[in-house]
Amino acid sequence: MSVDILSTYIYHLVFKQDTKNLRLISRLQASLVWTDEELAWDTSVYPFEEVILPVSKIWTPELHVTNGIVTTMKHSSRDLLLSSNGTVKHNVIINAEIACAVNMFNYPFAADSCPVAIQAWTAEGCGTYLQLGQLKNVNGSQGDWKTENAFYDTRLNRDDRNFIMVQLRIKYLNPFITLFLPSILIVLADVISFALPLGGGERNCFKVTLVLSFTMFLVILNNELPGDGHCSPIIRTHFCICLVFLVFSMLVSMVLTGIAAEGCREALSLSCTKCSAPKCTANEEEKADEEAKADISVVPLDASEEHTRMLRKVVNFLEVLGAQQLKRERYQKIAKRIDEIFFWFYFIFGSIYFFAMTYVMVNYTCQVNHFDFWY
């Protein structure tokens, strides 16, 4: 025995799309019409064309969503309408939480389709068959997602595999402002920080602050990012690359600060001395005097020779100090030149990266199998 059920219309309402767990929460209001010959009567005996009966007194079909994790069907009314020829009219409400393998690769510019497979029970030619009528999409904008369209379709031209294909698109403004734009601004601030001088430590402190701030930003937003799947969001990779940019820029700035202060060999050597040039020079002079005093006997000098010796020590000290100053200026020029080259490399490469990443987010399409629940 089989019963044909005609769905004259279905109102489809999307409550929300759970971006984190990839769940579509949908509400369907269906108007059902079916014929039960055992309920027909002769109008000549009972002169009534239609009667209202309680739902609990007669058989009603059970509809379910095949790909729904949780599906509940409720009667919209305790009564239904029965005609003399056995035709029954009734309204039901179906609430379903559907596992949707939505393409989240382009997040926050994601757009994809999600099937809502509506079926009635049938097995080996016995059961109920569902015929879909008119579909109306109601209130297609909820939360971060917008329902662009909804339409009937069938799988493999089989009558028992009917579904509503819901086309969804994320409202990109909110996630763009809260996720993508901050990463651009932080990297831009890191680029502008090259205007700060290498000496003094202001630039290094600022870059360290940027790295720590971006790390905290990622920790806070970790629970807000979409879940992993076949087409996981590329914005996770984008955040990782931005963090690499910031850390690499910070390390280069620290190395260049050391080069400007102590030179290439001293900045890159772990065993370089930390004393300043005047202090080191003075220590060397004192050491030389002590060695001379140990090897040479004390000979009384007159005032002119003592004065000449003191002048010679002052001249030697000033010459060494001048040589150290010239060496430091040469190192600073080298560091400044390397800093300018790295700035333009960082700026050009970073600009190309952001343009390329935005293009991939908007235009690349990741293919998802939406019908793996049908085997």
Side-chain angles (χ1 to χ4, degrees):
M1 177 182 177
S2 63
V3 179
D4 292 334
I5 304 173
L6 173 61
S7 174
T8 57
Y9 66 85
I10 292 181
Y11 288 105
H12 177 260
L13 171 64
V14 176
F15 276 157
K16 68 176 182 177
Q17 167 75 18
D18 188 349
T19 305
K20 178 65 177 177
N21 300 313
L22 300 181
R23 299 287 187 267
L24 176 67
I25 301 177
S26 182
R27 177 185 175 93
L28 303 172
Q29 298 179 6
S31 178
L32 304 180
V33 178
W34 71 94
T35 300
D36 192 340
E37 297 178 355
E38 295 181 358
L39 297 177
W41 70 87
D42 189 355
T43 55
S44 61
V45 179
Y46 302 99
F48 302 100
E49 293 292 335
E50 295 177 337
V51 295
I52 297 176
L53 296 178
V55 174
S56 59
K57 297 300 182 179
I58 67 172
W59 173 87
T60 56
E62 186 76 18
L63 302 182
H64 65 276
V65 179
T66 305
N67 59 332
I69 299 177
V70 179
T71 303
T72 58
M73 190 187 84
K74 298 181 180 180
H75 302 286
S76 60
S77 175
R78 295 182 179 180
D79 303 318
L80 49 76
L81 183 63
L82 175 62
S83 300
S84 59
N85 59 355
T87 301
V88 185
K89 297 180 180 179
H90 185 48
N91 295 329
V92 296
I93 299 174
I94 303 174
N95 296 314
E97 182 178 347
I98 304 162
C100 256
V102 181
N103 174 22
M104 298 301 298
F105 181 86
N106 308 92
Y107 187 85
F109 306 101
D112 203 356
S113 299
C114 179
V116 181
I118 304 176
Q119 290 182 288
W121 179 86
T122 179
E124 299 180 356
C126 238
T128 55
Y129 293 92
L130 183 63
Q131 298 179 12
L132 301 178
Q134 185 180 2
L135 176 65
K136 298 180 181 179
N137 188 41
V138 181
N139 193 9
S141 179
Q142 291 288 337
D144 292 335
W145 290 82
K146 177 182 179 182
T147 305
E148 293 189 327
N149 192 16
F151 56 90
Y152 290 128
D153 203 349
T154 58
R155 182 68 172 171
L156 300 176
N157 295 323
R158 291 178 52 174
D159 294 335
D160 60 339
R161 293 191 173 182
N162 303 305
F163 61 89
I164 300 174
M165 182 60 78
V166 183
Q167 294 180 344
L168 302 169
R169 180 175 295 276
I170 196 170
K171 300 175 183 177
Y172 65 87
L173 184 60
N174 184 40
F176 177 81
I177 293 176
T178 57
L179 296 176
F180 194 66
L181 184 60
S183 65
I184 297 177
L185 296 179
I186 290 177
V187 174
L188 179 62
D190 187 55
V191 173
I192 297 178
S193 67
F194 281 88
L196 297 174
L198 281 174
E202 292 87 356
R203 182 195 289 190
N204 294 337
C205 293
F206 183 74
K207 288 182 177 291
V208 171
T209 303
L210 288 180
V211 172
L212 296 178
S213 300
F214 193 73
T215 304
M216 291 301 300
F217 172 74
L218 295 183
V219 171
I220 294 173
L221 292 180
N222 182 52
N223 294 328
E224 302 297 330
L225 294 177
D228 292 331
H230 173 66
C231 295
S232 59
I234 196 175
I235 196 171
R236 294 179 181 271
T237 306
H238 164 71
F239 285 150
C240 180
I241 294 176
C242 288
L243 185 60
V244 171
F245 279 172
L246 295 175
V247 173
F248 184 68
S249 175
M250 177 188 68
L251 296 178
V252 170
S253 180
M254 290 180 177
V255 172
L256 292 180
T257 301
I259 291 176
E262 301 179 1
C264 298
R265 182 176 302 175
E266 289 81 357
L268 298 178
S269 176
L270 297 177
S271 60
C272 63
T273 57
K274 299 298 181 181
C275 60
S276 60
K279 184 177 180 180
C280 292
T281 305
N283 292 337
E284 292 175 357
E285 291 289 338
E286 292 178 358
K287 187 176 181 181
D289 291 342
E290 291 177 357
E291 293 177 353
K293 290 179 180 179
D295 297 337
I296 303 174
S297 59
V298 178
V299 178
L301 299 175
D302 55 12
S304 59
E305 291 180 354
E306 183 67 22
H307 182 68
T308 303
R309 182 174 177 274
M310 292 298 299
L311 288 178
R312 189 181 302 111
K313 293 177 64 176
V314 172
V315 171
N316 292 336
F317 176 78
L318 293 177
E319 289 178 351
V320 172
L321 187 62
Q324 293 290 339
Q325 183 65 26
L326 292 176
K327 185 179 180 181
R328 189 181 302 110
E329 290 178 356
R330 185 170 67 253
Y331 289 151
Q332 289 177 354
K333 290 180 180 179
I334 295 174
K336 185 177 180 181
R337 181 59 179 170
I338 298 175
D339 189 54
E340 291 177 355
I341 295 174
F342 180 76
F343 165 76
W344 287 111
F345 171 79
Y346 190 31
F347 177 76
I348 295 173
F349 185 79
S351 301
I352 294 174
Y353 164 75
F354 275 105
F355 281 117
M357 179 59 69
T358 305
Y359 177 82
V360 170
M361 283 185 177
V362 174
N363 296 287
Y364 182 79
T365 302
C366 182
Q367 299 298 330
V368 179
N369 181 17
H370 299 292
F371 302 98
D372 54 356
F373 58 90
W374 269 327
Y375 49 87

